[in-house]
Amino acid sequence: MTNMDDTEEKEETQVENEETHGVTGDQTQIPNGTAMEPATHEDSKETDHIKDADDDKINKEQLDINANEGPSIEKGHEKVDAGDEKLCVQQENINIQEEGQGDQDSKQQGDQQQTSEGDTKNREQLENEKNIKNVEETNKDASAIINVEIKEKPKQSAEEVRHIDNDTKKSHHKVHRSKPTPVEKDSSFVKEVKREAKRVEDRLNPNRSHPSKPKKVKKGIFVSYSPDAGFLERKFVVETVRQLKENNLAEDIWFDKDEKNTDNPCWFSQRMEAVEKCRAAVLILSDSYFMCPVSVYEGKALLERQMVDASSVKVDLVLFSSLEETEIPRQYNHLLRTMVDLTAGIHAKKSLAEKTSVVIGSLMEDLEKYAVINSPPVPYTPPEHDFNGEYKKKKICQWSVGDLQEWLFKLGIKEFYRQSLAEGMVDGFLLMSVTDQDMIHHLGIESRVVRKKIMQQILLTLDKEHKQPDNWHLRARTQKSKSNSVYLVYDPADVRLAQNLKADLLKKGLQVIHHQKLGQSKEEFLQLNGPSIATATYVLVILTDSATNSPFVFHEVLFSDWLGKKIVTAMFHNIWHSLRPALKAVLGECPSVDFETKLYGESMDVLEHYIKPLRSVPGVVLEQAYLNKMADGLKPLGILANSTSPTEYTSDEAEPRVFISYQWDMQSKVEDIKRLLEANSFLCWADISPTMTQRGHSSMSTRSGHSHVDSSETLQSQIQRNMKAAAVVLCCITPKYMQSDNCVKDLTLAETLHKPIVPVMLRFCPWPPEGAPSQVRKIFVRLPSPPIDLSNEKLFKQNIHVVVERIRKVIVVPK
């Protein structure tokens, strides 16, 4: 046993000597024929103490060398400091040093020592080549020099190495001939070096190291349709969008139904924002499109963008139904050549699905050019048959086909009728536009009882939703406004100007309100200030440089228009050409007061006269000169901003003339009609003065022609002169107007002069009018079309564009 122990101890000592000389480079060899006595236990302890001291000295020297003279690797213009790699290798070699020197054999042991030194050097060389290769591959694509600064390792790190070395020595005594234990690569110093190298590499080539997550691409294809469209038109829009998405455009189409914002108070502003940002737009045209303010504004904003930059947006037109009450405005003429007309030729008799296919085939190739992401088609998911009551948590407009089926099931509707709606893919969005006739002709529901039950339950459900807290904007739309109240819209940067204007308006006896809190989002901003807007009769927009791109002005203006408020602008600076397209579309036809070039006091008088007209005060008689001055100071913003001189706007020969015949107690509504017509380049002539020589219930004036009238000219001669100059007569019908003598005179004169007559109904009366004089009845019966109904605010807002288009058919407007 003793001999075996001695033999093992000699072999162990021999391996230790070989590895120690291989690492430190000590070339001292034991002379041949010299034998050494085996080391005793006490000698081994003493040798351990000596070796520990030597190890500390070697570690410190080696760390200093590595920190100051780390080897580097160069390749082209790339240079990577590889001191950390070399340091790891050398630390590994240091840690495998053995405790002492034992007995050495003679020549055979020396040969074995040289062989071991050669193997160790080869192993070290292979390890270095491997490390160099890894570094070269890591930095192969770097475009600049990467310098990793390796700071001198602190003393604590040397102690860590010593601790690891001691652990290695202890484990080596237990396991004979085991492989050297490498240095732990996750030490704090090595981690720090790697982090520094990673930071530098990320800064120079971030795409390679950390590929950034793809940003959410803004949807660039906008679908514009009328929110007031009927069931068939809505279904056509839904099917068209669905097929476009199935053709790899799922991530590019912006459609408000799929954005699930149709019940949001910011719905209108979100649509207009999408109009401003899109790269292509598809417009579904119909009578409803040109009668709904929302779709009209969208079309104007898109045309405005094309006018500024023709390449900014591509507009495609799809004519879904024939235009009977309206006409495509002349601003769309340059787009008619490529319009997809579904009302002419063989397309008119095709089914809804076939028409949808025609549109997809005509537009798909063009729209693909504007697609950013060619996403795979969205797989069709059939409606779930398991009823779980989810529809109760949603609003009707958000119901899916399955939600609607469950709702019908709870109502006790038979499966036969439910299946009719399911086959038509009717969801909540389409249900909102379904009428009794649609259920008969398009959904096959012939039972009057079933139809009545469905319609009643829809109204009850909508009434419950109307009372929900988050539907405050729907309640605000029906809220009654306060008289002589004004809501100020301004950017927070103009707060001083707004406060001064507020003080002056308060002195004139007006109630003035404005936003109090800004909130954290546009939804919260409108929720905080929307109810205040609803209480006002007028909305005054302060236009300055700060208002150009102000989100507060943008959302308040659009929300005010959606509420149906009367908007007037105070132009302190002409920012028309820098306004957003959406604001141009909404504010372009609104009356505006010029505070920029006119005296402040005069402009305030004009503003006061518009908001609180003095003619409504009993016993006050106004001079005609004052009324003319007030009228001249109020013009549509688009005309006021683009006018260079007063003569350019008032020239009688430059613009066509519209003679407005009306009974003067409807003055305010006639003023609104006149402003809209003038905003569309139709110069009007009408009387808004009750102080003229009484004609009973007259309809003429010299007021709005902006021409200097000789005071000696008789009233009748003024009527004849202006009607003769006019191209069309706009007849504003009310029951009192029909009983007026001047109604007979105006209409008879118009017929004598062969002037076309366009009738509009400002207050409801049966048609043809029964109580009218026979001569007037004959004139009205011969008219080619019945009067346009403007008898209430809703019909006025919907049909005023019909009036414009009807007049445009008669008058050829010069370009």
Side-chain angles (χ1 to χ4, degrees):
M1 290 293 295
T2 304
N3 294 333
M4 291 178 65
D5 292 338
D6 293 340
T7 304
E8 291 179 357
E9 185 175 353
K10 286 182 180 181
E11 291 177 354
E12 180 180 344
T13 304
Q14 179 181 348
V15 173
E16 292 174 356
N17 290 335
E18 291 173 356
E19 293 177 349
T20 301
H21 290 301
V23 173
T24 59
D26 189 0
Q27 301 298 324
T28 305
Q29 298 183 5
I30 301 174
N32 295 337
T34 304
M36 297 184 66
E37 294 293 332
T40 63
H41 183 66
E42 294 180 357
D43 294 338
S44 177
K45 288 184 178 180
E46 183 177 358
T47 305
D48 287 342
H49 290 298
I50 296 173
K51 183 57 181 173
D52 289 341
D54 293 337
D55 287 343
D56 290 341
K57 183 176 181 182
I58 292 171
N59 288 339
K60 291 180 180 180
E61 293 176 354
Q62 195 64 43
L63 288 173
D64 292 339
I65 293 172
N66 292 334
N68 298 326
E69 299 179 2
S72 60
I73 302 169
E74 294 186 7
K75 183 178 179 181
H77 294 290
E78 303 172 356
K79 182 177 181 180
V80 180
D81 192 348
D84 55 339
E85 299 289 345
K86 185 66 177 178
L87 179 60
C88 292
V89 176
Q90 291 176 348
Q91 286 177 349
E92 182 178 352
N93 292 332
I94 290 172
N95 291 334
I96 63 174
Q97 293 180 358
E98 300 300 329
E99 299 180 10
Q101 297 181 356
D103 295 332
Q104 301 289 334
D105 291 338
S106 58
K107 180 177 181 180
Q108 184 178 358
Q109 292 178 346
D111 293 338
Q112 291 176 356
Q113 177 182 348
Q114 292 179 358
T115 304
S116 178
E117 288 177 358
D119 294 338
T120 304
K121 291 181 180 180
N122 292 335
R123 186 167 60 253
E124 180 181 349
Q125 184 177 0
L126 291 174
E127 192 74 24
N128 289 337
E129 290 177 357
K130 183 178 180 180
N131 291 333
I132 292 171
K133 185 176 180 180
N134 291 337
V135 172
E136 290 177 348
E137 290 179 355
T138 302
N139 299 275
K140 180 172 63 176
D141 298 330
S143 59
I145 299 176
I146 302 175
N147 293 320
V148 181
E149 179 182 359
I150 302 179
K151 299 180 181 179
E152 183 177 358
K153 190 174 182 182
K155 185 175 181 179
Q156 184 178 358
S157 299
E159 292 176 358
E160 289 179 5
V161 175
R162 178 182 176 185
H163 178 70
I164 296 172
D165 192 20
N166 290 337
D167 292 341
T168 304
K169 289 184 288 184
K170 290 179 182 179
S171 62
H172 194 280
H173 282 295
K174 295 180 181 180
V175 183
H176 301 291
R177 299 179 182 274
S178 61
K179 293 184 179 180
T181 304
V183 178
E184 186 180 357
K185 294 185 179 181
D186 292 332
S187 64
S188 60
F189 175 66
V190 175
K191 286 182 179 180
E192 182 182 355
V193 172
K194 290 182 177 181
R195 282 196 299 268
E196 183 67 23
K198 196 173 185 179
R199 281 195 294 269
V200 175
E201 187 175 359
D202 289 347
R203 187 168 62 251
L204 296 177
N205 193 3
N207 293 330
R208 188 182 187 282
S209 300
H210 290 285
S212 58
K213 295 181 180 179
K215 296 182 179 180
K216 187 178 180 180
V217 180
K218 297 178 181 178
K219 299 182 177 181
I221 302 175
F222 180 78
V223 178
S224 177
Y225 72 100
S226 170
D228 297 336
F231 174 75
L232 271 186
E233 186 174 345
R234 277 199 174 197
K235 186 171 176 58
F236 171 76
V237 175
V238 170
E239 286 298 313
T240 301
V241 172
R242 183 179 63 81
Q243 291 197 27
L244 286 174
K245 291 190 173 185
E246 289 178 354
N247 283 271
N248 299 341
L249 296 179
E251 298 298 328
D252 293 283
I253 298 292
W254 198 100
F255 181 41
D256 61 349
K257 172 184 177 293
D258 296 337
E259 299 298 321
K260 297 181 179 179
N261 64 357
T262 52
D263 61 334
N264 194 310
C266 298
W267 163 77
F268 183 25
S269 58
Q270 287 177 356
R271 281 184 66 142
M272 297 305 292
E273 285 177 334
V275 168
E276 294 180 337
K277 296 175 183 178
C278 68
R279 296 180 299 278
V282 179
L283 279 57
I284 312 298
L285 305 183
S286 63
D287 277 329
S288 176
Y289 188 91
F290 294 113
M291 294 168 61
C292 177
V294 173
S295 51
V296 169
Y297 291 149
E298 290 173 356
K300 287 184 177 180
L302 290 168
L303 293 176
E304 177 67 25
R305 288 184 59 191
Q306 281 197 331
M307 186 182 302
V308 176
D309 182 6
S311 61
S312 62
V313 60
K314 177 70 168 63
V315 179
D316 292 313
L317 304 181
V318 177
L319 183 59
F320 172 73
S321 60
S322 301
L323 302 181
E324 298 177 357
E325 300 181 4
T326 61
E327 192 176 64
I328 299 178
R330 61 185 179 85
Q331 291 85 351
Y332 290 84
N333 288 345
H334 66 287
L335 301 172
L336 298 180
R337 184 176 57 84
T338 58
M339 180 178 69
V340 181
D341 189 356
L342 300 178
T343 64
I346 58 175
H347 298 327
K349 298 180 180 180
K350 291 183 177 179
S351 65
L352 192 68
E354 291 174 331
K355 290 181 178 180
T356 304
S357 300
V358 171
V359 173
I360 299 301
S362 303
L363 301 182
M364 192 61 206
E365 184 178 355
D366 192 21
L367 294 179
E368 283 181 340
K369 302 175 184 177
Y370 302 93
V372 176
I373 303 176
N374 286 323
S375 59
V378 179
Y380 169 71
T381 54
E384 299 179 358
H385 295 285
D386 296 335
F387 296 154
N388 50 20
E390 286 295 324
Y391 76 95
K392 297 179 181 179
K393 304 177 183 178
K394 304 176 184 178
K395 298 178 182 178
I396 287 186
C397 60
Q398 297 176 349
W399 283 358
S400 64
V401 177
D403 294 331
L404 179 58
Q405 290 295 306
E406 183 175 0
W407 179 71
L408 294 172
F409 176 78
K410 297 295 183 182
L411 293 181
I413 305 299
K414 294 182 179 180
E415 185 178 359
F416 173 77
Y417 298 115
R418 297 202 311 267
Q419 190 66 24
S420 298
L421 275 75
E423 290 177 355
M425 297 297 293
V426 179
D427 55 9
F429 180 78
L430 295 178
L431 185 69
M432 298 284 287
S433 61
V434 168
T435 63
D436 190 75
Q437 294 299 316
D438 292 327
M439 285 191 281
I440 296 175
H441 299 293
H442 307 306
L443 298 176
I445 303 178
E446 298 179 355
S447 173
R448 185 176 61 86
V449 176
V450 174
R451 298 197 307 270
K452 184 177 180 180
K453 186 175 184 179
I454 293 176
M455 296 301 296
Q456 287 179 345
Q457 291 299 320
I458 290 175
L459 295 177
L460 288 175
T461 306
L462 290 175
D463 186 61
K464 291 179 181 178
E465 290 183 357
H466 191 270
K467 298 177 182 178
Q468 294 179 3
D470 58 342
N471 281 336
W472 61 267
H473 58 290
L474 300 179
R475 296 189 295 274
R477 200 172 189 183
T478 58
Q479 184 176 350
K480 187 177 180 180
S481 58
K482 300 177 182 178
S483 60
N484 297 330
S485 58
V486 181
Y487 184 91
L488 287 182
V489 174
Y490 63 92
D491 185 77
D494 298 325
V495 62
R496 284 190 177 182
L497 176 61
Q499 292 297 336
N500 294 335
L501 192 61
K502 176 183 177 180
D504 293 334
L505 291 174
L506 290 174
K507 292 177 182 178
K508 296 181 181 295
L510 298 173
Q511 300 180 28
V512 183
I513 50 181
H514 53 81
H515 62 250
Q516 299 295 332
K517 297 180 180 180
L518 301 181
Q520 301 296 325
S521 63
K522 55 188 177 184
E523 289 83 5
E524 185 179 356
F525 173 70
L526 287 181
Q527 187 173 2
L528 293 172
N529 304 290
S532 299
I533 300 177
T535 61
T537 304
Y538 295 90
V539 173
L540 178 59
V541 184
I542 300 177
L543 295 182
T544 63
D545 291 331
S546 302
T548 304
N549 295 310
S550 173
F552 308 102
V553 174
F554 179 81
H555 291 291
E556 283 185 317
V557 167
L558 295 186
F559 188 72
S560 301
D561 186 85
W562 182 77
L563 290 177
K565 299 300 177 181
K566 297 179 180 179
I567 301 177
V568 58
T569 60
M571 192 178 72
F572 285 89
H573 187 67
N574 191 349
I575 58 172
W576 175 258
H577 297 290
S578 57
L579 269 181
R580 297 172 62 167
L583 289 181
K584 283 186 177 181
V586 175
L587 297 178
E589 297 179 357
C590 294
S592 179
V593 181
D594 186 5
F595 280 84
E596 183 180 29
T597 60
K598 304 294 184 181
L599 294 177
Y600 181 81
E602 295 180 0
S603 299
M604 283 299 298
D605 291 339
V606 173
L607 183 60
E608 180 190 10
H609 180 74
Y610 174 75
I611 297 175
K612 189 180 180 181
L614 294 177
R615 64 172 176 269
S616 62
V617 181
V620 177
V621 178
L622 303 177
E623 295 181 358
Q624 185 63 34
Y626 175 80
L627 293 174
N628 291 341
K629 182 179 180 181
M630 294 299 101
D632 290 342
L634 200 67
K635 300 176 183 177
L637 177 62
I639 294 178
L640 178 63
N642 292 317
S643 62
T644 56
S645 64
T647 56
E648 195 172 312
Y649 177 74
T650 61
S651 174
D652 290 351
E653 291 76 20
E655 300 285 347
R657 306 293 300 275
V658 178
F659 186 100
I660 302 179
S661 176
Y662 76 106
Q663 192 251 352
W664 70 266
D665 63 351
M666 297 300 295
Q667 226 167 320
S668 60
K669 203 167 246 188
V670 171
E671 285 179 336
D672 295 337
I673 295 174
K674 176 189 173 297
R675 278 192 295 271
L676 289 170
L677 292 177
E678 288 180 339
N680 286 272
S681 305
F682 301 124
L683 185 62
C684 299
W685 190 93
D687 175 30
I688 62 169
S689 171
T691 62
M692 293 293 293
T693 304
Q694 293 297 319
R695 298 179 59 213
H697 301 291
S698 179
S699 62
M700 51 26 70
S701 175
T702 59
R703 198 266 314 175
S704 64
H706 304 286
S707 57
H708 300 284
V709 180
D710 188 358
S711 59
S712 62
E713 186 180 12
T714 64
L715 191 59
Q716 192 62 32
S717 64
Q718 293 178 26
I719 297 173
Q720 293 179 0
R721 179 176 56 82
N722 285 281
M723 188 175 289
K724 187 176 181 179
V728 63
V729 175
L730 184 66
C731 180
C732 301
I733 301 173
T734 63
K736 289 184 178 181
Y737 176 80
M738 303 301 298
Q739 301 298 327
S740 170
D741 295 336
N742 296 289
C743 164
V744 179
K745 294 179 181 179
D746 290 344
L747 294 178
T748 303
L749 181 60
E751 189 175 45
T752 303
L753 297 174
H754 303 287
K755 299 294 181 181
I757 299 174
V758 176
V760 295
M761 188 178 295
L762 300 188
R763 283 184 180 170
F764 178 77
C765 58
W767 191 261
E770 298 177 355
S774 59
Q775 189 175 0
V776 174
R777 284 175 56 87
K778 291 179 181 179
I779 295 175
F780 283 148
V781 168
R782 287 195 295 267
L783 294 179
S785 58
I788 303 169
D789 194 357
L790 305 177
S791 57
N792 57 49
E793 291 296 329
K794 183 178 180 181
L795 292 173
F796 184 91
K797 203 170 185 65
Q798 287 182 352
N799 297 335
I800 188 62
H801 300 284
V802 181
V803 177
V804 175
E805 296 305 322
R806 188 85 51 92
I807 293 176
R808 198 185 301 279
K809 290 180 179 180
V810 180
I811 302 174
V812 179
V813 181
K815 297 182 179 180

